[in-house]
């Protein structure tokens, strides 16, 4: 879900949302926009031998997605993106929640209508086959 939010951001303005040049830089850039890591993420970071002795600057005043995308996306789009990009994975929108988000309302109805048509066509095909005496590809006597 996080990756979908990142791609959505890049598609909006043509720029990577978090353009880090290394793992540590990537974490810094993410925090610059989203705020500090969660306590669990911070603990994992501090226990990682590759990052021993490294610390991040104060990230209590992030740039925010709102500032970055003001005037570029609708409120629904921003809400959708923010749900996908929650720093805490347990608070991040899950796939079934994303599919129900109001940002996808028009698209969801269009897709559901197409599915209805396809199902209707398949049902009609089988009904016609039965009426004509066909079953499992064979003509019935």
């Amino acid at each position: 879900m996080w990756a979908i939010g990142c791609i959505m951001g890049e598609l909006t303005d043509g720029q990577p949302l978090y353009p880090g040049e290394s793992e540590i830089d990537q974490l810094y850039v993410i925090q610059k926009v989203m705020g500090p890591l969660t306590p669990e993420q911070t603990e994992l970071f501090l226990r990682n031998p590759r990052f021993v002795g490294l610390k991040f600057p104060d990230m209590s005043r992030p740039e925010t997605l709102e500032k970055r995308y003001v005037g570029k996306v609708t409120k629904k789009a921003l809400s959708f993106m923010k749900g996908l990009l929650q720093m805490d994975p347990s608070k991040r929108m899950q796939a079934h929640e994303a599919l129900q988000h109001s940002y996808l309302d028009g698209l969801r109805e269009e897709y559901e209508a197409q599915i209805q048509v396809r199902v209707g066509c398949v049902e009609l095909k089988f009904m016609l086959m039965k009426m004509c005496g066909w079953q499992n590809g064979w003509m019935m006597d």
Side-chain angles (χ1 to χ4, degrees):
M1 301 311 292
W2 179 271
I4 294 169
C6 292
I7 292 167
M8 187 176 175
E10 188 165 346
L11 289 172
T12 299
D13 64 6
Q15 299 296 315
L17 182 53
Y18 307 120
E21 295 179 18
S22 65
E23 290 175 328
I24 192 72
D25 189 42
Q26 190 81 50
L27 288 170
Y28 170 73
V29 173
I30 289 170
Q31 291 179 83
K32 208 166 89 172
V33 175
M34 302 302 297
L37 299 173
T38 66
E40 294 81 15
Q41 292 164 338
T42 300
E43 183 181 332
L44 287 171
F45 172 78
L46 294 173
R47 287 191 317 192
N48 189 319
R50 293 183 313 204
F51 303 130
V52 170
L54 295 176
K55 291 172 73 176
F56 292 109
D58 177 34
M59 298 292 180
S60 59
R61 302 182 80 192
E63 293 174 6
T64 75
L65 292 171
E66 289 89 349
K67 288 180 189 173
R68 173 144 183 192
Y69 294 108
V70 67
K72 295 179 183 178
V73 298
T74 65
K75 287 181 182 181
K76 284 183 182 182
L78 185 60
S79 169
F80 185 70
M81 192 184 304
K82 286 175 67 178
L84 297 171
L85 293 170
Q86 286 293 314
M87 190 69 102
D88 184 342
S90 68
K91 295 179 181 174
R92 197 171 300 148
M93 207 178 338
Q94 295 183 13
H96 70 276
E97 295 167 320
L99 289 171
Q100 297 306 313
H101 194 279
S102 61
Y103 177 65
L104 300 178
D105 282 351
L107 183 62
R108 187 176 45 252
E109 280 81 25
E110 181 181 325
Y111 176 75
E112 288 170 354
Q114 288 176 4
I115 294 297
Q116 292 281 337
V117 168
R118 288 185 184 141
V119 169
C121 288
V122 170
E123 289 173 353
L124 178 61
K125 178 181 174 185
F126 284 118
M127 185 177 74
L128 289 172
M129 288 172 62
K130 190 173 183 179
M131 287 173 57
C132 294
W134 287 85
Q135 187 173 14
N136 296 329
W138 296 95
M139 184 70 136
M140 300 293 294
D141 289 332

